[in-house]
Amino acid sequence: MLRNLPPVTDPNLLVGISTGDDAAVYRLTDDIALIQTIDFFPPVVDDPYDYGAIAAANALSDVYAMGGHPVIALNVAAFPDALDKDILGRILKGGGDKAAEAGTLIAGGHTIEDPEPKYGLSVTGIVQPGHQVANVGAQPGDALVLTKPLGSGVLTTAHKNGALDAAALAEVVGVMAQLNRDASEAMIDVGVNACTDVTGFGLLGHLKGMLDGSGVGATLSLSDIPTIPAAWEMIDRGFVPGGTGRNRMWIEDTVTWHPEVSEAGRIMLMDAQTSGGLLIAVSPDKRDELVNALQSRNTTGAVIGHITEQQELHVHP
């Protein structure tokens, strides 16, 4: 699909499409580089306000994953004529409030008519050139740290099918709407080797991108990976999103699975997330410092595995 795009040779493009990173980074001066990203998707929850907030947090996350500060954004929306325009107003309100929480100005946007609602943001952030955090650069021995629990894909699928109770819905909405700002600030303060956010390709898909780009492997421990508890029941009841199934087709056979890792465990690690946490590779001497920095900001800091020199991905119970 990308073969017809012209090759990019501009030396000021510090991060482009070659490593499948979360956002592009373009140097303007020796002191300022722009971080540019866009992300939008159909509703994952019924409440318009919550949907807007989640979509905005998800788009802003790409800038945070690069170690940047989001400064300005544009709304991107599609909406059917048949629905009450007040619904779109609530979506935009949710996104606007979340952007305001991030200290990001929404300066306009663009809306088209579409049979299915869609919403998100085009976000511009800033970072000092050379200080951006890429999804490549992980080193053997690095600890892998995850900052949000998994399970949003199966839980939102269960919600769409009317199977999720109010408490579980509130929990997953809270996870998805949480900004990755504090996690990003913690990793900037400590200094890390690589980072990506965990979204549609699931934990293993995004980790695989980090490993391939860095020329390393990894070992994970399923029992150390934080999850939203209700997600396990929803997996057992068969509420698995289509994106998770596509992730399995792509990545499952590239992983060495311990025999005691359950079918549900495999699904959880490949579950297509919405507005997931940051996956960070940090040198072992800074691991505890990063975990403490995350916890001091009331953010999850779970050590879920480590980087290996051998270019294989192993998952243990």
Side-chain angles (χ1 to χ4, degrees):
M1 291 186 295
L2 302 179
R3 69 181 182 274
N4 293 321
L5 290 177
V8 177
T9 58
D10 191 329
N12 289 313
L13 185 66
L14 305 181
V15 179
I17 66 172
S18 60
T19 58
D21 217 323
D22 297 295
V25 181
Y26 187 84
R27 178 172 50 212
L28 292 180
T29 71
D30 290 342
D31 298 316
I32 298 177
L34 292 182
I35 302 175
Q36 191 72 47
T37 188
I38 184 170
D39 206 322
F40 59 97
F41 48 74
V44 292
V45 294
D46 291 336
D47 184 88
Y49 182 89
D50 287 342
Y51 164 48
I54 292 165
N58 182 73
L60 291 161
S61 179
D62 287 342
V63 175
Y64 291 132
M66 306 297 295
H69 171 64
V71 293
I72 192 168
L74 299 175
N75 286 316
V76 180
F79 200 74
D81 282 339
L83 286 182
D84 189 332
K85 300 303 183 291
D86 286 343
I87 295 173
L88 179 56
R90 292 291 294 164
I91 294 170
L92 297 176
K93 172 66 172 170
D97 286 351
K98 187 56 60 174
E101 181 185 340
T104 302
L105 175 68
I106 293 185
H110 186 68
T111 304
I112 64 168
E113 192 279 329
D114 193 303
E116 182 179 40
K118 301 174 184 68
Y119 174 68
L121 297 177
S122 171
V123 187
T124 300
I126 56 174
V127 69
Q128 185 177 351
H131 288 254
Q132 71 272 5
V133 182
N135 67 344
V136 298
Q139 302 294 315
D142 282 356
L144 287 168
V145 178
L146 182 64
T147 69
K148 281 188 185 183
L150 303 180
S152 63
V154 295
L155 289 171
T156 53
T157 299
H159 171 57
K160 291 173 185 177
N161 286 275
L164 202 62
D165 63 37
L169 176 60
E171 183 174 10
V172 69
V173 167
V175 169
M176 293 187 293
Q178 179 186 0
L179 291 173
N180 279 326
R181 175 186 56 197
D182 292 343
S184 179
E185 290 176 352
M187 78 170 182
I188 293 167
D189 288 348
V190 172
V192 303
N193 291 331
C195 177
T196 186
D197 65 347
V198 179
T199 51
F201 293 124
L203 174 65
L204 293 188
H206 289 282
L207 174 58
K208 184 78 162 48
M210 179 185 289
L211 302 181
D212 290 349
S214 304
V216 294
T219 296
L220 300 183
S221 175
L222 177 61
S223 60
D224 292 331
I225 296 172
T227 59
I228 303 173
W232 293 102
E233 178 188 351
M234 295 303 114
I235 291 174
D236 289 341
R237 293 174 61 181
F239 295 109
V240 179
T244 300
R246 289 188 290 274
N247 290 342
R248 293 193 72 175
M249 291 176 61
W250 166 53
I251 196 171
E252 186 168 28
D253 291 342
T254 71
V255 179
T256 301
W257 301 92
H258 189 282
E260 294 183 9
V261 175
S262 66
E263 169 74 3
R266 292 189 180 203
I267 292 172
M268 185 71 78
L269 297 190
M270 292 178 283
D271 186 37
Q273 302 297 284
T274 297
S275 192
L278 300 185
L279 176 63
I280 303 168
V282 60
S283 60
D285 59 310
K286 293 182 178 180
R287 181 195 66 184
D288 293 343
E289 183 183 358
L290 176 61
V291 170
N292 291 335
L294 290 166
Q295 292 177 347
S296 70
R297 292 168 168 84
N298 296 316
T299 299
T300 300
V303 179
I304 64 170
H306 63 275
I307 299 294
T308 62
E309 186 171 357
Q310 189 175 11
Q311 296 182 36
E312 296 179 355
L313 177 52
H314 293 260
V315 177
H316 295 280

